[in-house]
Amino acid sequence: MSRGNIKTTVEKRQNSEPAARKKIQDMSKEELERFSISEHSQFNDDHWVLTNLTPGARADRSTLNWTMSLLDGSRLTDARHAARLRWAKILVLTLLLHPSSGHTHGPGSMSQLKRQLRWLLSWMSESGYHHPHELTPSVIKDYLDQLPSYLASRSNDGEIGADTAVLALSTLMQLWKQRRPLTKLGVLSLSRHPFSGKGAHTVARGLATKAAGWIMPLPDEVAIPLLNKAAWFLGTPADDVIRLLQVMRDPPAGAKFSRNFSLATGVKKRIGGRNAARIVCTMQFLEAFEFSTLDGDNKQWHEPINWAYEQSSKHRSARFSRLKELWEAVRDAAAITVQATSGMRLSELLGIVAGVDAATGLPQDVRLERSATGLYEWFIIRSQLSKTGDGLPREVDWVLGMRPVGSNEMPLAVRALLVLNRLHEPWRARARSNRLILVGGHGRLLPAPSACLGAMAIDGANCSIQRFINRWIDLSVLPNESVRKTEDNDLVRWREQKGQMFRTHMLRKTWAQFALACDSRLLPAIQMQFHHISLAMTESGYIGSNPLLLDELNSISTQKTNLAVFEIVVGKSKVAGRMGEQLEQALAELRAEAGELQTSEKWEKVVEWTKCNDLKMYFTAHANCCPTRTSEMRCHDVSISVENFPPFSVQYFPLLKVAERDLYAV
């Protein structure tokens, strides 16, 4: 349907049906419910389907699904959202029939309208607002203040793009621009311009951020059991699950086909034909399978998958369902390990190509390089970096681990990639993609060996790791608050939601935080490696040859600066030195403002304060540097005089020792 087709449909109905001659604003509630949005849909339908005559247009782009899931897990069509659903429908109706701009929204804009409505409606639901007129200037200010954290915490990679921010703001602008037709239809809208005269794109540019000050790493209380369990699964349990995959072959190794004698032909044959015989064969294999015993234990790490296990379940397919759970557990453990020990984004992990080099025995695209001293060798993998300045994917190297020359030790991330290759081997020949991690089917059982699997998507991977946490990590023993909290009762949500708030970008933050805690001189290197690679990073300054990663470096630096100021404000840390005294005086007013606020509100004020004051800090093993007067700092004079000196070079930090009067200790 073209942009004029909606009005054309209305005109046709006006000529054929007396009820349609009424203006929309004069219709009763019942008449409006029956009003035809298009030849396919009425106002009261859960799906508004418009016909898009554009060649090649996708049908879903022209469909507005009012049963959309909000970010709290509920659906807009639930009874508690009745008021929100009605005004949202009326708003879209006015945009289709009486747009204030004079430009009618085309059918292809329906999917975008759904995305932008979802942000505001989700926030209103969580904040307890039902109607547009409740969005007063003070309420909208709260929305804008919370939006960076709200958007970033619900993204897959923890980043806020300008396009996402615009979507979250557009509905407010539409409520303002459409206030007159909305009022005629009985919907009270905004009383003032939502952004004091500014456009949504202007406000969005201020909100778009790397979320450095808003998104925290995984709490230690969650990260430690999660990473320990992931590493545990990559040992003997992974080997056992890969042995279990023999059940995907015909016949499985070690199983015997049951046969009986045919009186008619005098020939032995499989019981029940091919499929039935395969099921019998599979049952025999699973019943006979024995899990390994781990070092220090006196029993198998997993109970046998036999009839006793099946009988404990309501479903006869319990054994096959458990097989898929174990397979997914190993897959997710490998994904967690690679991200947590390399700093990759999820998109870069999913971009890794499958395969093992026959000559080296290493995963595809993994190579060994010697360190500058020749004493160590690095494991480096090449993958696509999707978050680039021009929006085009680029090839970039990631360090997976290192070992002394001559050692046979295999870094855990490399072991994880090898496991992923073996885990997907039964489906590799028929796969529709050459990516390492595949997905296919949505049932409780593993796909058949004949299935054609495709590459896993970001959303699916994030949800799968959430299931891993729910199934294998016991969060019920968590305390109410973490040691380094930035909001009150911050662990209660983890305990109650059982990992549903997990996002993979949290692993990147955790990785950087841990590396920095191990050696604070490694701030320039944390973008490339974790813990055991610190020596390699010190030797090479690897960050200097990978400029695409500098944005993340700034993100981590900002995060740590915010946390340092926050701990000073709440009294957990103290300052010293000349610059420390000045910082203490500057923070006095902020401390007074934040004194009676909740912890989360204190954190937001600190983030805003450091941003407004453009506060920069540099972190060293013995103290943290706050260079508010660089003209008086000897270390600054020396560092800027060094030719071709890379920003934040690890060589910068020893120079701080000559200017200890300009340091403050935290």
Side-chain angles (χ1 to χ4, degrees):
M1 179 177 286
S2 64
R3 295 192 172 189
N5 282 2
I6 296 173
K7 288 187 176 181
T8 302
T9 300
V10 176
E11 291 172 357
K12 289 180 179 179
R13 289 184 58 85
Q14 287 177 341
N15 295 329
S16 59
E17 299 183 24
R21 295 193 183 100
K22 289 185 178 179
K23 295 182 177 179
I24 300 295
Q25 57 266 31
D26 296 332
M27 290 185 179
S28 65
K29 181 178 179 180
E30 291 73 20
E31 290 172 333
L32 183 59
E33 293 291 330
R34 297 191 300 271
F35 179 77
S36 293
I37 302 300
S38 70
E39 60 266 34
H40 306 293
S41 307
Q42 293 183 335
F43 182 88
N44 65 339
D45 290 341
D46 288 339
H47 294 76
W48 287 7
V49 181
L50 306 183
T51 302
N52 195 337
L53 300 180
T54 303
R58 290 170 46 183
D60 60 334
R61 303 278 184 178
S62 305
T63 301
L64 205 167
N65 180 7
W66 292 109
T67 66
M68 69 178 80
S69 296
L70 301 185
L71 298 176
D72 60 1
S74 63
R75 292 194 174 274
L76 186 57
T77 48
D78 293 348
R80 64 190 180 96
H81 298 308
R84 301 184 188 96
L85 174 62
R86 183 163 183 82
W87 70 253
K89 281 188 169 184
I90 293 176
L91 172 63
V92 175
L93 181 63
T94 66
L95 290 172
L96 294 174
L97 299 181
H98 303 292
S100 59
S101 63
H103 299 287
T104 305
H105 279 64
S109 65
M110 292 300 100
S111 60
Q112 181 174 348
L113 284 173
K114 171 189 171 182
R115 293 197 301 272
Q116 66 186 49
L117 281 166
R118 186 170 181 251
W119 283 114
L120 181 62
L121 290 168
S122 295
W123 182 85
M124 291 179 67
S125 174
E126 295 181 22
S127 302
Y129 298 105
H130 295 268
H131 305 279
H133 70 268
E134 296 175 320
L135 303 178
T136 62
S138 61
V139 172
I140 293 176
K141 182 180 182 303
D142 290 340
Y143 178 61
L144 296 179
D145 289 342
Q146 297 174 29
L147 203 52
S149 175
Y150 193 77
L151 294 177
S153 65
R154 287 159 178 81
S155 69
N156 287 314
D157 57 9
E159 299 181 357
I160 305 173
D163 292 341
T164 302
V166 167
L167 286 176
L169 299 173
S170 294
T171 301
L172 288 173
M173 286 297 296
Q174 290 166 348
L175 286 171
W176 170 249
K177 292 178 179 179
Q178 297 294 119
R179 62 191 183 279
R180 291 186 177 86
L182 285 172
T183 301
K184 293 179 180 179
L185 291 172
V187 177
L188 296 179
S189 191
L190 306 184
S191 59
R192 296 183 184 179
H193 192 288
F195 313 128
S196 302
K198 297 179 181 178
H201 285 81
T202 301
V203 179
R205 284 194 293 270
L207 293 174
T209 174
K210 293 294 183 181
W214 299 97
I215 301 304
M216 296 296 292
L218 285 169
D220 289 345
E221 293 82 355
V222 176
I224 292 173
L226 175 61
L227 299 184
N228 283 343
K229 195 65 176 182
W232 178 84
F233 260 113
L234 293 182
T236 301
D239 294 332
D240 282 356
V241 172
I242 290 171
R243 284 197 298 121
L244 268 173
L245 289 181
Q246 291 293 340
V247 79
M248 304 301 298
R249 297 175 175 84
D250 188 9
K256 298 180 180 179
F257 278 94
S258 299
R259 301 174 183 269
N260 65 359
F261 187 77
S262 172
L263 295 176
T265 63
V267 178
K268 291 183 179 181
K269 63 178 182 179
R270 295 181 178 183
I271 294 178
R274 183 176 180 181
N275 290 336
R278 180 177 178 81
I279 293 175
V280 171
C281 181
T282 300
M283 291 295 188
Q284 291 178 357
F285 175 78
L286 292 178
E287 288 175 6
F289 188 87
E290 293 184 0
F291 289 95
S292 302
T293 300
L294 304 181
D295 293 340
D297 290 341
N298 54 11
K299 62 179 182 179
Q300 300 175 14
W301 67 268
H302 191 280
E303 59 185 346
I305 304 180
N306 54 24
W307 285 108
Y309 184 82
E310 179 185 347
Q311 291 169 357
S312 67
S313 172
K314 297 179 181 179
H315 303 282
R316 287 183 55 84
S317 60
R319 287 181 289 182
F320 302 107
S321 176
R322 189 59 172 175
L323 174 59
K324 183 176 183 180
E325 288 181 6
L326 292 173
W327 184 87
E328 287 183 340
V330 175
R331 180 195 65 190
D332 297 337
I336 291 169
T337 299
V338 174
Q339 280 196 274
T341 59
S342 70
M344 284 187 183
R345 293 180 179 89
L346 183 56
S347 58
E348 280 106 44
L349 169 63
L350 297 178
I352 295 176
V353 175
V356 176
D357 190 305
T360 64
L362 295 176
Q364 186 77 15
D365 294 331
V366 173
R367 67 185 189 275
L368 284 173
E369 290 191 3
R370 288 287 182 97
S371 68
T373 62
L375 298 176
Y376 301 94
E377 52 188 8
W378 307 342
F379 292 80
I380 298 175
I381 188 171
R382 173 150 292 192
S383 181
Q384 283 190 347
L385 182 71
S386 56
K387 296 288 185 178
T388 59
D390 55 11
L392 299 176
R394 302 182 189 178
E395 297 290 330
V396 68
D397 290 338
W398 301 87
V399 179
L400 297 176
M402 70 172 293
R403 67 186 180 190
V405 172
S407 171
N408 294 322
E409 188 70 22
M410 188 72 71
L412 198 56
V414 180
R415 158 76 174 168
L417 295 178
L418 291 172
V419 167
L420 286 170
N421 272 288
R422 297 174 63 193
L423 207 62
H424 292 85
E425 187 272 334
W427 302 276
R428 186 63 65 190
R430 293 177 175 268
R432 301 190 305 271
S433 171
N434 66 346
R435 298 305 182 191
L436 177 59
I437 303 180
L438 301 175
V439 67
H442 302 285
R444 298 171 58 242
L445 310 181
L446 281 175
S450 59
C452 300
L453 306 190
M456 176 172 269
I458 288 178
D459 290 344
N462 196 84
C463 291
S464 188
I465 296 178
Q466 289 176 349
R467 289 196 301 270
F468 177 90
I469 296 174
N470 186 25
R471 289 171 177 171
W472 302 101
I473 310 299
D474 183 11
L475 300 181
S476 64
V477 297
L478 289 178
N480 290 339
E481 296 181 342
S482 61
V483 174
R484 304 192 76 179
K485 66 174 184 177
T486 56
E487 60 178 299
D488 296 324
N489 298 317
D490 59 333
L491 295 181
V492 172
R493 288 182 298 167
W494 284 97
R495 192 172 62 222
E496 294 179 348
Q497 298 181 22
K498 300 179 180 180
Q500 291 303 304
M501 57 188 296
F502 171 85
R503 298 293 184 274
T504 56
H505 65 267
M506 295 177 177
L507 292 173
R508 289 166 58 79
K509 296 283 186 177
T510 301
W511 162 75
Q513 182 190 59
F514 182 72
L516 195 59
C518 289
D519 190 340
S520 58
R521 295 172 300 173
L522 294 179
L523 183 59
I526 61 177
Q527 192 56 37
M528 284 305 298
Q529 200 43 257
F530 199 25
H531 180 46
H532 54 278
I533 275 310
S534 60
L535 181 58
M537 294 302 98
T538 304
E539 286 184 342
S540 68
Y542 193 88
I543 188 72
S545 62
N546 208 336
L548 295 176
L549 303 177
L550 289 174
D551 283 345
E552 192 70 21
L553 170 62
N554 295 331
S555 172
I556 299 302
S557 178
T558 302
Q559 178 77 53
K560 192 160 180 66
T561 298
N562 291 337
L563 190 58
V565 175
F566 177 77
E567 292 187 344
I568 296 170
V569 169
V570 299
K572 285 188 176 181
S573 301
K574 297 188 179 298
V575 293
R578 185 172 59 180
M579 295 301 106
E581 294 174 358
Q582 293 186 1
L583 183 61
E584 181 68 36
Q585 294 174 4
L587 291 175
E589 183 178 350
L590 176 62
R591 184 181 291 108
E593 292 179 2
E596 301 300 325
L597 298 177
Q598 295 181 358
T599 304
S600 57
E601 294 174 336
K602 289 180 183 178
W603 171 256
E604 292 178 2
K605 277 196 169 294
V606 166
V607 170
E608 186 64 26
W609 187 88
T610 55
K611 179 181 178 181
C612 291
N613 289 277
D614 195 24
L615 191 66
K616 304 292 184 184
M617 290 187 184
Y618 304 97
F619 303 91
T620 73
H622 61 278
N624 298 343
C625 175
C626 184
T628 56
R629 294 185 180 179
T630 55
S631 61
E632 301 180 19
M633 298 175 64
R634 291 172 58 195
C635 60
H636 180 80
D637 294 338
V638 175
S639 66
I640 61 176
S641 66
V642 178
E643 186 177 2
N644 298 325
F645 210 58
F648 303 111
S649 169
V650 291
Q651 301 173 20
Y652 174 88
F653 295 104
L655 300 176
L656 293 175
K657 295 179 180 179
V658 302
E660 292 186 1
R661 62 180 182 176
D662 292 322
L663 301 177
Y664 72 89
V666 178

